[in-house]
């Protein structure tokens, strides 16, 4: 019986309408990854931005009441009106030729549901970017702490768990894509967990430094003083922003200065590049030539290629690797946002509609993908052991280190590095083990006989003795990663 591939037929009308809408979106953040990023809608969507602006207006009026510059009943009237506000109508009013302004459109929409007296109390000496820049800082911080950071924390937790389970697996080290002295598979994973954790702390710092402003059209606070009373503008600004979890930007002009936003972008970009470094390593370990890892679901399903039905492609890890440069591309806009002709111009207005919002969505989607992929990661210990055999038979770097430790000099070849190079050439040519060839030299044979049992064992291929302090380093990395996760570890580990 043929498989039933008619998925649309099983959808509700509401779900079908939503998905049809997504297919008409130009941005892949909506069209392809939209459902993955739905939790960010309350923070990064156009609706979220309008609602945040409404909230800022509410806080402004609330603080105005506290300053004795507005009656309590007007605040209560505004709060009763808030559920009635139609954000779609605000959006349409913004484009109406009678208004043609975002914050004026918002005030007109609020004005439909409150008295003229309450409407007149809104926007107290503020300019549109007092509202919008403040709202965006408020939303970006919320998106990081409520949605993105917990997802990253889950990834760190999963990486740490994999590391702990694989700390005993000895793996060939690779530099310049060439085999060399051994490492611990779990130690490598622990390193990535710590690196992402360190970038998470960096993101915590940069999102924390996002600021707001309630200081009027050119940032002097003069217009606020005219409404709230002479000499009150800085205190009024401080109290409004405390309620939004923000600090004032005292360097602000008509806009909040954008260097902290560029720092946010940089912290996201570097975190994504660490993720890409990890996923690209996994991608290469997945390759036909190495085969040290695979994904259980892909291996069972196959068909990762439309042409070769037996290929087991590292699809998810390649996608995650590719996302880093997408996030990085947003930095061009964030750097440009730092520039303004005098107190403000409209270049930044259009640029700020795109970034760092899209960078945040792509970062979140990448870690969502990672959290789905890591539980499927399968470590092929037999292949890891097989690949390590070549280094066990030719422990050239370990031999160099041991000879340096013995301060040994060969009468013909000189220092130990030169001796190992000569023996290595002969071993490769004759397809024999390095130690076997080296022991044919009587000077080296004499030295070998004098070595400790541990050093002899290393040269004989017991590379388990040649890992130095890697276990201690891995444990420190795991401890740090767990520390950074902090309270987020209470989130369901398998979410």
């Amino acid at each position: 019986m043929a498989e039933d591939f008619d998925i649309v037929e099983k959808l509700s009308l509401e779900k079908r309408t939503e998905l049809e809408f997504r297919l008409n979106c130009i941005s892949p953040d909506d069209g392809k990854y939209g459902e993955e990023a739905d939790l960010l809608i309350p923070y990064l969507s156009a609706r979220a931005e309008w609602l945040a602006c409404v909230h800022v207006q509410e806080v402004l009026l609330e603080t105005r009441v506290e300053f004795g510059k507005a009656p309590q009943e007007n605040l209560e009237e505004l709060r009763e009106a808030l559920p009635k506000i139609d954000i779609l109508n605000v959006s349409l009013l913004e484009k109406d030729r009678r208004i043609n302004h975002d914050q004026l459109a918002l005030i007109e929409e609020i004005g439909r549901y409150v008295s003229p007296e309450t409407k007149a109390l809104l926007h107290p000496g503020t300019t549109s970017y007092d509202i919008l820049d403040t709202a965006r800082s408020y939303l970006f911080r919320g998106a990081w702490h409520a949605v993105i950071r917990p997802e990253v924390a889950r990834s760190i937790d999963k990486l740490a768990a994999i590391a702990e389970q694989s700390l005993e697996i000895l793996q060939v080290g690779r530099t310049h894509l060439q085999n060399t002295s051994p490492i611990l598979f779990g130690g490598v994973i622990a390193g990535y967990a710590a690196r992402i954790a360190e970038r998470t702390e960096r993101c915590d710092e940069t999102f924390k430094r996002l600021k707001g402003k309630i200081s009027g059209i050119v940032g002097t606070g003069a217009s606020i003083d005219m409404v709230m009373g002479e000499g009150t503008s800085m205190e009024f600004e401080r109290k409004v922003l405390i309620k939004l979890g923000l600090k004032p930007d005292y360097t602000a002009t008509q806009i909040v200065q954008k260097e902290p936003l560029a720092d946010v972008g940089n912290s996201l970009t570097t975190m994504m590049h660490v993720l890409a470094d990890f996923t690209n390593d996994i991608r290469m370990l997945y390759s036909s030539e190495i085969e040290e890892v695979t994904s259980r679901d892909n291996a069972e399903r196959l068909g990762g290629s439309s042409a070769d039905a037996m290929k087991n492609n590292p699809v998810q890890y390649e996608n995650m690797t590719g996302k880093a440069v997408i996030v990085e591309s947003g930095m061009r806009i964030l750097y440009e946002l730092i520039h303004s002709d005098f107190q403000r111009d409209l270049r930044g207005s259009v640029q700020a509609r795109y970034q760092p919002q899209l960078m945040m969505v792509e970062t979140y989607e990448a870690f969502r993908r990672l959290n789905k992929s890591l539980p499927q990661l399968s470590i092929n210990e037999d292949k890891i052991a097989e690949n390590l055999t070549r280094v066990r038979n030719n422990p050239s770097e370990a031999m160099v280190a041991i000879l340096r430790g013995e301060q040994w000099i060969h009468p013909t070849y000189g220092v130990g590095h030169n001796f190992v190079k000569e023996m290595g050439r002969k071993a490769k040519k004759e397809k024999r083990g390095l130690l076997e060839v080296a022991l044919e030299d009587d000077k080296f044979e004499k030295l070998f006989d004098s070595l400790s049992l541990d050093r002899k064992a290393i040269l004989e291929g017991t590379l388990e003795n040649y890992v130095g302090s890697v276990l201690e380093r891995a444990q420190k990395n795991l401890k740090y990663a767990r520390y950074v996760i902090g309270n987020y570890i209470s989130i369901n580990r398998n979410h």
Side-chain angles (χ1 to χ4, degrees):
M1 184 177 177
E3 289 190 67
D4 179 8
F5 286 112
D6 190 351
I7 297 174
V8 172
E9 180 65 27
K10 301 175 182 66
L11 298 174
S12 67
L13 178 61
E14 181 181 11
K15 188 64 177 177
R16 179 172 179 170
T17 302
E18 176 195 337
L19 295 179
E20 289 280 8
F21 170 78
R22 290 192 191 280
L23 289 178
N24 288 324
C25 293
I26 293 174
S27 170
D29 286 318
D30 295 314
K32 199 166 183 68
Y33 311 123
E35 288 190 276
E36 293 292 330
D38 277 351
L39 289 176
L40 288 171
I41 288 175
Y43 300 94
L44 302 181
S45 65
R47 178 180 296 276
E49 194 169 276
W50 283 118
L51 288 171
C53 289
V54 171
H55 181 52
V56 173
Q57 291 289 356
E58 178 192 2
V59 172
L60 285 168
L61 184 53
E62 177 185 76
T63 310
R64 187 169 182 174
V65 170
E66 293 169 1
F67 272 63
K69 295 295 181 178
Q72 178 68 30
E73 54 264 31
N74 293 104
L75 176 60
E76 292 172 2
E77 183 185 18
L78 174 63
R79 286 176 172 165
E80 289 175 7
L82 294 182
K84 304 173 187 176
I85 293 171
D86 188 335
I87 296 302
L88 177 58
N89 199 54
V90 178
S91 179
L92 295 173
L93 283 172
E94 180 191 12
K95 299 175 178 66
D96 192 291
R97 61 182 177 80
R98 295 168 296 172
I99 298 175
N100 198 31
H101 191 282
D102 55 358
Q103 299 308 313
L104 293 180
L106 181 64
I107 291 170
E108 291 303 328
E109 174 64 13
I110 296 173
R112 294 171 61 205
Y113 305 104
V114 299
S115 65
E117 290 77 18
T118 297
K119 179 183 176 185
L121 292 169
L122 302 175
H123 218 30
T126 45
T127 185
S128 60
Y129 268 71
D130 285 322
I131 313 302
L132 193 54
D133 271 355
T134 298
R136 283 173 174 160
S137 291
Y138 171 74
L139 290 172
F140 295 161
R141 289 181 64 174
W144 167 251
H145 287 290
V147 181
I148 304 172
R149 193 191 198 278
E151 199 67 39
V152 176
R154 279 188 280 271
S155 294
I156 297 169
D157 183 33
K158 291 179 190 295
L159 286 169
I162 292 171
E164 289 165 347
Q165 294 161 13
S166 57
L167 278 177
E168 301 301 319
I169 300 176
L170 198 67
Q171 179 189 29
V172 62
R174 296 176 173 97
T175 62
H176 310 284
L177 300 180
Q178 305 297 306
N179 295 338
T180 188
S181 293
I183 54 176
L184 295 181
F185 186 93
V188 174
I189 305 298
Y192 276 115
R195 289 173 66 190
I196 293 175
E198 193 276 334
R199 291 293 86 195
T200 302
E201 280 202 306
R202 177 64 175 159
C203 286
D204 287 341
E205 295 167 6
T206 57
F207 276 97
K208 183 179 180 180
R209 289 204 297 268
L210 291 180
K211 297 179 180 180
K213 74 173 287 275
I214 306 293
S215 54
I217 192 166
V218 288
T220 63
S223 56
I224 309 296
D225 279 347
M226 291 299 101
V227 176
M228 303 306 302
E230 290 291 336
T232 62
S233 60
M234 290 184 71
E235 182 63 10
F236 180 76
E237 177 181 46
R238 188 183 70 83
K239 289 196 171 183
V240 168
L241 294 178
I242 282 176
K243 295 174 183 178
L244 298 168
L246 300 170
K247 292 181 179 180
D249 177 7
Y250 293 126
T251 70
T253 54
Q254 189 173 114
I255 57 174
V256 172
Q257 305 298 359
K258 298 302 188 292
E259 296 91 336
L261 208 56
D263 290 338
V264 160
N266 179 263
S267 64
L268 292 172
T269 298
T270 51
M271 182 163 67
M272 280 297 295
H273 274 289
V274 173
L275 175 62
D277 196 26
F278 166 71
T279 54
N280 192 56
D281 276 1
I282 295 296
R283 170 178 168 265
M284 290 191 289
L285 292 177
Y286 211 110
S287 68
S288 300
E289 290 72 24
I290 299 177
E291 292 185 325
E292 292 185 356
V293 301
T294 189
S295 292
R296 281 184 288 272
D297 54 349
N298 280 12
E300 291 169 3
R301 184 176 63 247
L302 292 181
S305 165
S306 62
D308 188 339
M310 288 191 66
K311 281 179 70 184
N312 176 16
N313 294 341
V315 175
Q316 300 301 332
Y317 292 99
E318 289 188 336
N319 280 335
M320 286 183 274
T321 303
K323 280 185 178 289
V325 71
I326 305 300
V327 174
E328 181 186 336
S329 69
M331 289 306 301
R332 178 68 185 87
I333 291 175
L334 294 183
Y335 289 140
E336 189 60 31
L337 277 168
I338 294 172
H339 305 151
S340 174
D341 288 347
F342 303 111
Q343 281 64 58
R344 189 212 168 190
D345 62 72
L346 280 174
R347 291 175 299 168
S349 177
V350 67
Q351 292 160 358
R353 295 170 193 162
Y354 296 90
Q355 300 298 357
Q357 296 92 317
L358 299 182
M359 298 171 73
M360 293 170 73
V361 171
E362 283 295 306
T363 299
Y364 175 71
E365 198 279 329
F367 280 95
R368 285 269 294 181
R369 192 180 292 256
L370 181 63
N371 284 328
K372 291 179 181 179
S373 301
L374 287 177
Q376 297 295 328
L377 187 67
S378 178
I379 304 168
N380 188 343
E381 294 189 48
D382 290 341
K383 195 67 178 180
I384 289 176
E386 179 187 327
N387 290 338
L388 185 61
T389 300
R390 283 173 282 180
V391 180
R392 289 189 188 278
N393 293 336
N394 296 281
S396 56
E397 189 276 332
M399 184 179 284
V400 170
I402 288 171
L403 295 182
R404 281 176 172 155
E406 298 294 326
Q407 301 179 34
W408 185 72
I409 299 175
H410 191 278
T412 302
Y413 302 115
V415 296
H417 185 279
N418 293 345
F419 172 77
V420 174
K421 184 186 293 185
E422 287 299 320
M423 296 303 104
R425 286 172 181 163
K426 186 175 181 181
K428 279 189 174 184
K429 183 178 180 180
E430 298 176 4
K431 297 183 180 180
R432 293 195 289 156
L434 177 63
L435 182 61
E436 178 189 353
V437 171
L439 285 172
E440 292 175 353
D441 183 280
D442 59 345
K443 301 294 189 300
F444 177 82
E445 182 183 26
K446 182 179 179 180
L447 172 71
F448 182 79
D449 290 339
S450 70
L451 294 177
S452 67
L453 292 177
D454 182 59
R455 294 191 174 196
K456 284 182 179 179
I458 291 170
L459 295 180
E460 289 168 343
T462 308
L463 294 179
E464 288 77 3
N465 297 353
Y466 193 64
V467 292
S469 55
V470 66
L471 188 59
E472 183 181 353
R473 294 169 189 270
Q475 289 167 342
K476 284 183 177 294
N477 285 333
L478 287 170
K479 183 178 179 180
Y480 172 66
R482 295 291 190 197
Y483 162 77
V484 172
I485 293 173
N487 293 331
Y488 289 92
I489 202 67
S490 62
I491 298 169
N492 186 340
R493 293 165 74 112
N494 298 316
H495 178 71

